Amino acid sequence: GLGGRGGSTFDGALELLRAEVAAVRPARLVTMGSSMGGYAAARAGIALGADAAVAFSPQVLVSPAARRDMSLPAAPFDSLLEGLELACDAEGLHAASLVEAVREAPAGVRTLLEVHVGEDAPGDVAEAELLLEAVRERAGGSGEEDIRCEMTRHAGRDHNLVTDMRDTGELHELLCRVLAPPSTAASEGDSGEGIPHEFVGFAECSDF
C-alpha cells in the first residue's frame, strides 16, 4: 500500500498517487489489484484517468446493506466489509461503490476497466455484471468514447483466480499486454508487446 501515508481518506491517497504519477511521468498508467485491491484499482484508475484498470475479483459493492439487497452470496471477506463500514461511519466517510464511481466520474475519462472473475464465484460474476451495466448506462447509447468495461469469465476458477493465473503464466502474459504503450505495440507488428517475454518479474511476483 502507501505505508500509512495519505491519511485515512481516499482523496488523501489520490493526492499521493497523483504526485507519484507527476514525478514518474509514465508512458502508460495502469492500476491493478485483486479482491479489495481490485476495487481500489478500479476506483483509483477512474479517478486518476488511467489508461486501464485491471481488477481481479473486485468488490463492486462495499456496503454490507447494498450487498444484502442484491442477495449476494456470503463471502469470506464480509466481516472485513462490516469493519470497513464501522470505520467509515466513525470517521464520517462514505465508501463509494464502483457503480457510484462510474456514474460520478467527470466527462472525458477514458479508462478501460478490465475485469477478471472466476465462474466458480457467482457473487463475483454478479458484481462484475453490475459494473458492466453502470458503464453501459453512463454511455447511454451516445457512442462517445468514455469509460469502457470488459469482463472475462474464467471457467473452473474462483475468487482467487489471480493466483492460478500467476502460476500458469497467464498473469505474466496479461501484464505484458496491458503495460505495453500503444505506440510500442503498433511498431512491433505481431508481437504487440513492449515488455520482453524473458522478463520474469511478473511471473515471480509473490504479491498475488
Side-chain angles (χ1 to χ4, degrees):
L2 298 172
R5 296 174 296 157
S8 59
T9 68
F10 179 70
D11 288 342
L14 276 182
E15 288 182 14
L16 285 174
L17 291 172
R18 288 192 176 105
E20 185 72 9
V21 170
V24 175
R25 300 175 62 188
R28 183 167 170 78
L29 178 59
V30 178
T31 58
M32 60 187 67
S34 176
S35 194
M36 201 62 184
Y39 162 85
R43 191 173 171 200
I46 292 170
L48 294 169
D51 295 288
V54 184
F56 304 92
S57 310
Q59 281 80 65
V60 173
L61 301 177
V62 292
S63 162
R67 297 178 67 82
R68 287 191 294 271
D69 289 344
M70 287 297 300
S71 299
L72 292 174
F77 48 78
D78 284 345
S79 61
L80 298 177
L81 294 179
E82 295 279 359
L84 173 64
E85 183 174 59
L86 289 173
C88 287
D89 288 346
E91 295 286 338
L93 302 173
H94 172 61
S97 71
L98 293 184
V99 171
E100 292 174 273
V102 167
R103 289 174 178 169
E104 297 170 6
V109 175
R110 293 178 171 81
T111 302
L112 168 63
L113 304 175
E114 182 173 327
V115 182
H116 294 261
V117 292
E119 289 191 342
D120 289 352
D124 290 348
V125 175
E127 289 195 75
E129 289 174 343
L130 285 176
L131 185 57
L132 274 170
E133 183 58 30
V135 171
R136 292 191 192 105
E137 288 179 359
R138 177 181 170 91
S142 65
E144 295 182 4
E145 187 175 1
D146 201 281
I147 297 173
R148 293 164 291 142
C149 185
E150 297 175 357
M151 177 176 67
T152 301
R153 297 167 57 148
H154 297 259
R157 287 177 169 161
D158 59 17
H159 186 72
N160 297 313
L161 81 159
V162 71
T163 303
D164 293 336
M165 294 178 70
R166 178 199 63 192
D167 294 344
T168 61
E170 294 168 83
L171 181 62
H172 178 89
E173 297 289 336
L174 184 154
L175 295 181
C176 284
R177 170 176 59 77
V178 300
L179 292 174
S183 58
T184 302
S187 65
E188 294 190 3
D190 58 359
S191 68
E193 293 171 348
I195 300 174
H197 268 70
E198 58 268 22
F199 175 69
V200 297
F202 302 140
E204 296 183 353
C205 180
S206 60
D207 291 338
F208 292 106

